């Protein structure tokens, strides 16, 4: 919500030219809020022990903080107490989160290696049928899609998965780059002149009176 709100403010025509300090301040806030969003999503991946995705999102958030710092260095007047406090707290949180994620990833990888080694040591050719059946059941476990992916299907979901209303965390997917053609087209547009529509009734009456006074000559009396 904050990212969308600040983005709408920055999309106001002329704000970057007329209010440079305010535009720089909102641009820095926009980068900081995007860093907060990336950090929040990274924590959901961390709960599922997806360390590679978590580290990628933490790096993504760090890039946004660096962008905010560059904006404030270029425009020192845009600094305020709240923005500096949020940036400082988020940077400290990111530094600790990256260290914790690295440690958890190392511990889990070493634990998995130990478990795999023990399983290999205890491996036997005479496996019970019950164990085979359990493994087959786990493999054939029903996968329920999220609500947005099953809108045209009658599937209520599972109680354990909270009816799969949303898919959290979201999956990583590649997106196409935004074409530069549409970004550059805005600079080539020429907007119409709307000064006539912005005039008050008094200004219109004054212009009409001035036009009547300028109409002299023999036929000026008939034009009145």
């Amino acid at each position: 919500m904050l990212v969308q709100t600040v983005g709408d403010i920055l999309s106001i025509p002329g704000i970057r030219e007329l209010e440079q300090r305010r535009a720089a301040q909102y641009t820095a806030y926009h980068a900081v809020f995007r860093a907060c969003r990336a950090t929040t999503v990274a924590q959901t991946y961390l709960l599922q022990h997806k360390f590679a995705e978590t580290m990628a999102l933490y790096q993504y958030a760090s890039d946004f903080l660096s962008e905010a710092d560059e904006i404030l260095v270029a425009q020192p007047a845009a600094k305020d107490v709240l923005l500096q406090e949020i940036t400082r707290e988020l940077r400290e949180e990111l530094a600790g989160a990256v260290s914790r994620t690295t440690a958890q990833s190392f511990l889990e990888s070493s634990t998995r290696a130990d478990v795999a080694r023990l399983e290999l040591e205890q491996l036997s050719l005479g496996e019970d049928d019950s164990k085979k059946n359990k493994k087959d059941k786990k493999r054939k476990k029903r996968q329920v899609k999220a609500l947005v992916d099953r809108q045209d299907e009658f599937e209520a979901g599972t109680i354990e998965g909270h009816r799969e209303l949303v898919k959290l965390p979201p999956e990583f997917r590649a997106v196409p780059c935004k074409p530069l053609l549409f970004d550059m087209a805005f600079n080539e547009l020429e907007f119409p002149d709307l000064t006539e529509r912005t005039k008050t009734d008094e200004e219109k009456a004054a212009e009409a009176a001035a036009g009547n006074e300028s109409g002299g000559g023999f036929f000026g009396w008939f034009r009145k």
Side-chain angles (χ1 to χ4, degrees), residues 11-117:
S11 64
I12 298 175
I15 188 174
R16 299 184 184 276
E17 292 78 12
L18 301 177
E19 295 286 344
Q20 295 183 0
R21 184 189 67 83
R22 188 70 65 184
Q25 187 178 34
Y26 280 119
T27 304
Y29 269 113
H30 192 250
V32 171
F33 290 153
R34 294 179 72 181
C36 293
R37 182 176 62 181
T39 305
T40 303
V41 177
Q43 292 174 359
T44 62
Y45 279 101
L46 183 60
L47 293 176
Q48 296 188 0
H49 302 281
K50 296 182 178 180
F51 302 107
E53 291 84 351
T54 303
M55 293 297 292
L57 286 170
Y58 282 148
Q59 182 62 42
Y60 192 55
S62 299
D63 293 340
F64 280 125
L65 288 181
S66 300
E67 179 182 345
D69 292 338
E70 292 176 359
I71 294 172
L72 295 178
V73 169
Q75 190 68 259
K79 295 181 180 179
D80 63 356
V81 179
L82 180 61
L83 180 60
Q84 292 178 345
E85 183 178 356
I86 295 175
T87 305
R88 177 179 54 80
E89 292 180 357
L90 187 58
R91 184 174 286 105
E92 293 176 356
E93 180 181 352
L94 279 176
V98 170
S99 301
R100 289 192 301 270
T101 304
T102 304
Q104 291 181 17
S105 176
F106 176 76
L107 290 175
E108 183 164 338
S109 61
S110 60
T111 304
R112 287 179 179 177
D114 294 339
V115 171
R117 180 174 53 81

Side-chain angles (χ1 to χ4, degrees), residues 142-159:
R142 185 167 60 99
Q143 298 292 335
V144 181
K145 295 183 291 186
L147 179 62
V148 69
D149 298 329
R150 53 183 169 87
Q151 296 181 9
D152 299 330
E153 302 176 7
F154 184 76
E155 179 64 52
T158 60
I159 299 177

